[in-house]
């Protein structure tokens, strides 16, 4: 175990000693600041509402009119969504909670949608972890040591996951700090209001809601990283490994959307990586369930790990 710890520490040193790593961290923080600045600028251009309660009341009236005039054409899901929106708006009015008021949590919530950038940056590192050893010619020096190939591969994978976690923490903390700068700390105790499974309005912790959102994204991130790691084991060129991994990640969701009319699309990885689709009630296929997606992700995870292990442990490095 101590040898594995030393291997992971060595791989971490390789990652964090490279200027590219700190450039990635800078890009992530800069992107968050840019998005926050654009949103702040856009908000400043809008005319503030004179009375948010009147706006909420008008929204409810508009939704109610649509239900009465077009309700027969609504799907059960659309009808339930409209009714829940009316419930939430009534709750805001009763509790004097302005849903239009911006707080620092808005910035933190926005940051969860930017985890795709964290995934891209981590995939670049993951795709480079093994392939770079061949590109630099250091793979032979690495394999002559006492550690087995399996331990070496595992250490590289764990170091990559640690880097992903590090970027997630940086993303959250940077978003929280930027939200405090842009919006102040007044809304720190603002509750997260939602409709519970029983159909009643519930208040919860905004922090727990954000962490749950991050949690769903982490599942997606782990699958992308594992695939990129497998690709890295297959290529001797780090640039080819990075290019192929990014192409796979960026085009996958688009392909699934194009094929969503076919029942067999539910067996594709990208139809299952976003578990939050079950929270919003809009899976790619209506017959899909969260349990099904978790099972598919586990199967893909084991497959990717096995292929990566097979490629790395059986590869001839004499050439």
């Amino acid at each position: 175990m101590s040898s594995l710890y030393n291997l992971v520490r060595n791989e971490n040193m390789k990652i964090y000693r490279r200027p590219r790593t700190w450039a990635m961290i800078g890009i992530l923080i800069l992107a968050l600041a840019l998005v926050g600045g654009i949103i702040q600028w856009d908000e400043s251009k809008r005319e503030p509402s004179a009375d948010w309660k009147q706006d909420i009341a008008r929204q409810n009236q508009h939704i109610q009119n649509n239900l009465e005039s077009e309700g027969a054409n609504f799907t059960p899901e659309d009808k339930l969504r409209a009714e829940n929106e009316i419930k939430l708006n009534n709750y805001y009015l009763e509790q004097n909670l302005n849903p239009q008021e911006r707080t620092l949590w808005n910035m933190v919530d926005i940051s969860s949608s930017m985890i795709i950038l964290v995934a891209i940056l981590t995939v670049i590192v993951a795709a480079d972890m093994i392939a770079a050893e061949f590109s630099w010619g250091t793979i032979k020096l690495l394999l002559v040591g006492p550690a087995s190939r399996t331990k070496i591969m595992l250490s590289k994978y764990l170091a990559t996951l640690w880097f992903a976690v590090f970027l997630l923490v940086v993303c959250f903390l940077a978003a929280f700090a930027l939200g405090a700068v842009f919006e102040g700390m007044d809304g720190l105790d603002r509750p997260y209001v939602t409709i519970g499974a029983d159909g009643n309005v519930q208040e919860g912790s905004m922090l727990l809601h954000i962490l749950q959102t991050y949690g769903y994204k982490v599942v997606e991130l782990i699958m992308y990283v594992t695939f990129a790691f497998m690709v890295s084991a297959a290529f001797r060129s780090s640039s080819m490994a990075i290019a192929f991994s990014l192409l796979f990640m960026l085009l996958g969701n688009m392909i699934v959307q194009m094929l969503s009319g076919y029942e067999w699309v539910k067996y594709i990885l990208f139809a299952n990586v976003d578990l939050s689709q079950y929270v919003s009630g809009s899976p790619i296929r209506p017959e899909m369930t969260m349990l099904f997606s978790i099972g598919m992700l586990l199967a893909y995870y084991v497959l990717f790990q096995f292929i990566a292990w097979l490629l790395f442990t059986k590869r001839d490095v004499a050439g």
Side-chain angles (χ1 to χ4, degrees), residues 14-15 21 60 80 173 184 207 216 264 283 309 314:
K14 290 180 184 178
I15 293 174
T21 300
N60 271 1
L80 180 61
L173 294 179
L207 177 60
Y216 287 127
W264 50 264
W309 174 83
K314 303 301 181 182

Side-chain angles (χ1 to χ4, degrees), residues 33-203:
L34 184 61
V35 170
I38 291 173
I39 293 174
Q40 194 72 12
W41 175 79
D42 183 60
E43 288 291 328
S44 67
K45 295 293 182 181
R46 297 183 182 181
E47 288 292 334
S49 175
D51 190 341
W52 65 270
K53 291 185 177 180
Q54 289 184 5
D55 291 342
I56 297 297
R58 281 194 293 267
Q59 286 179 20
N60 271 1
Q61 188 61 49
H62 178 70
I63 295 170
Q64 190 63 46
N65 290 340
N66 282 341
L67 283 173
E68 292 173 359
S69 60
E70 303 290 338
N73 300 324
F74 282 17
T75 63
E77 292 79 10
D78 290 337
K79 187 175 181 181
L80 180 61
R81 192 175 297 112
E83 291 172 348
N84 285 343
E85 190 171 350
I86 291 176
K87 285 183 183 179
L88 285 174
N89 284 340
N90 286 335
Y91 188 84
Y92 292 138
L93 293 172
E94 293 168 4
Q95 301 298 321
N96 197 32
L97 285 172
N98 182 3
Q100 300 172 0
E101 181 184 7
R102 293 189 58 80
T103 68
L104 63 86
W105 294 117
N106 292 97
M107 185 64 206
V108 180
D109 195 33
I110 290 169
S111 73
S112 65
S113 64
M114 294 190 66
I115 294 180
I116 184 64
L117 179 57
V118 173
I120 290 173
L121 297 177
T122 309
V123 161
I124 291 173
V125 172
D128 198 38
M129 286 297 285
I130 296 176
E133 300 285 358
F134 287 92
S135 297
W136 297 337
T138 55
I139 187 65
K140 294 180 183 179
L141 295 174
L142 194 62
L143 296 181
V144 296
S148 65
R149 291 195 181 195
T150 300
K151 270 192 176 181
I152 292 171
M153 190 191 79
L154 180 59
S155 67
K156 288 180 175 293
Y157 182 71
L158 292 176
T160 306
L161 288 183
W162 174 251
F163 178 69
V165 171
F166 176 69
L167 284 186
L168 285 174
V169 172
V170 169
C171 184
F172 180 87
L173 294 179
F176 190 92
L178 288 167
V181 170
F182 290 138
E183 308 295 346
M185 300 291 289
D186 292 340
L188 189 60
D189 58 348
R190 186 178 183 86
Y192 175 66
V193 182
T194 187
I195 303 291
D198 57 358
N200 296 321
V201 180
Q202 299 176 350
E203 285 191 10

Side-chain angles (χ1 to χ4, degrees), residues 256-272:
V256 165
Q257 291 296 332
M258 292 170 58
L259 301 175
S260 60
Y262 299 94
E263 184 179 354
W264 50 264
V265 77
K266 65 185 179 182
Y267 298 108
I268 297 177
L269 170 66
F270 296 101
N272 298 280

Side-chain angles (χ1 to χ4, degrees), residues 177-233:
L178 288 167
V181 170
F182 290 138
E183 308 295 346
M185 300 291 289
D186 292 340
L188 189 60
D189 58 348
R190 186 178 183 86
Y192 175 66
V193 182
T194 187
I195 303 291
D198 57 358
N200 296 321
V201 180
Q202 299 176 350
E203 285 191 10
S205 167
M206 188 66 76
L207 177 60
L208 289 179
H209 163 66
I210 299 294
L211 291 178
Q212 182 185 42
T213 304
Y214 265 66
Y216 287 127
K217 296 295 183 180
V218 166
V219 174
E220 196 171 343
L221 178 60
I222 289 174
M223 294 307 300
Y224 289 146
V225 168
T226 306
F227 175 82
F229 198 77
M230 179 190 70
V231 172
S232 181

